[in-house]
């Protein structure tokens, strides 16, 4: 199978963009880390920026391919941008939104996620007066009887 040089150059340029974006995200993670777990870190924002610019480049390449269908360079770059954007959408939909990373099975022992709909006895910290009641959602860490 023979791949034209211009098509391969378009693929290489698209891959170089995403490789540079990945390196920038990694460098941002090394510099700033993720100090506050309840908000996106700086490297999350950089990754989002890389993907948004990639989507803009995808639209630009798509318009260029429709304007001049014989340009093999733009077809190669378009292929990489389509794979990156569609891959991100599938990752976000299948892994994150469907909960494949943390699946709530309804069983408080087997589930990785906390369940709030389960009827569980109140949980009292060991040796403490029960001024605050916590409800257990997973296996008990403390005795559930007040001392």
């Amino acid at each position: 199978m023979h791949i034209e040089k211009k098509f391969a150059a378009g693929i290489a340029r698209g891959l170089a963009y995403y490789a540079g974006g990945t390196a920038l995200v990694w460098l941002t993670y090394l510099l700033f880390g993720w100090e506050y777990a309840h908000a996106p870190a700086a490297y999350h924002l950089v990754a989002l920026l890389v993907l948004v610019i990639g989507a803009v480049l995808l639209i630009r390449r798509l318009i260029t391919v429709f304007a001049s269908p014989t340009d093999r360079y733009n077809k190669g770059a378009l292929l990489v941008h389509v794979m990156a954007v569609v891959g991100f959408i599938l990752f976000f939909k299948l892994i994150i939104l469907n909960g494949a990373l943390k699946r709530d099975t309804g069983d408080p022992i087997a589930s990785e996620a906390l369940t709030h709909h389960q009827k569980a006895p109140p949980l009292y910290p060991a040796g403490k007066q029960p001024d605050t009641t916590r409800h257990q959602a997973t296996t008990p860490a403390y005795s559930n009887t007040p001392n």
Side-chain angles (χ1 to χ4, degrees), residues 13-102:
R13 180 159 180 185
L15 289 175
Y17 170 75
Y18 288 106
T22 302
L24 187 61
V25 168
W26 179 68
L27 181 64
T28 307
Y29 174 74
L30 289 178
L31 290 175
F32 299 108
W34 191 7
E35 293 180 7
Y36 185 61
H38 300 288
Y43 71 94
H44 290 123
L45 300 176
V46 171
L48 181 65
L49 182 66
V50 168
L51 286 170
V52 167
I53 292 173
V56 169
L57 290 173
L58 168 75
I59 293 168
R60 180 178 162 232
R61 295 290 178 194
L62 192 60
I63 291 170
T64 307
V65 165
F66 282 129
S68 63
T70 59
D71 189 4
R72 301 300 244 174
Y73 178 82
N74 283 321
K75 286 183 181 180
L78 177 67
L79 176 67
V80 173
H81 289 301
V82 165
M83 288 176 52
V85 170
V86 169
F88 172 74
I89 291 170
L90 287 176
F91 170 77
F92 195 76
K93 171 70 176 108
L94 296 176
I95 304 292
I96 305 296
L97 293 181
N98 284 347
L101 293 179
K102 291 186 178 178

